[in-house]
Amino acid sequence: MHSDDCSMTSEMTHPVTAHEARLALTDAQLEACAFCRPDTELGILD
């Protein structure tokens, strides 16, 4: 998962709401981008 301004995204991305992003980032099968760190921006820390 990437922040909306991340330069590391591919063409196969689609926008989600902040709530949807928080839910997705709590899924163990999904990783936050190490470059843009959307998990940190949304307040989800390990």
Side-chain angles (χ1 to χ4, degrees), residues 3-42:
S3 294
D4 61 348
D5 59 350
C6 184
S7 62
M8 304 298 282
T9 61
S10 70
E11 291 182 20
M12 297 188 63
T13 61
H14 64 276
V16 296
T17 66
H19 177 70
E20 292 170 324
R22 285 184 188 94
L23 289 175
L25 287 167
T26 60
D27 185 338
Q29 295 181 359
L30 185 71
E31 292 184 33
C33 173
F35 180 73
C36 65
R37 299 303 309 224
D39 51 345
T40 303
E41 187 172 328
L42 290 169

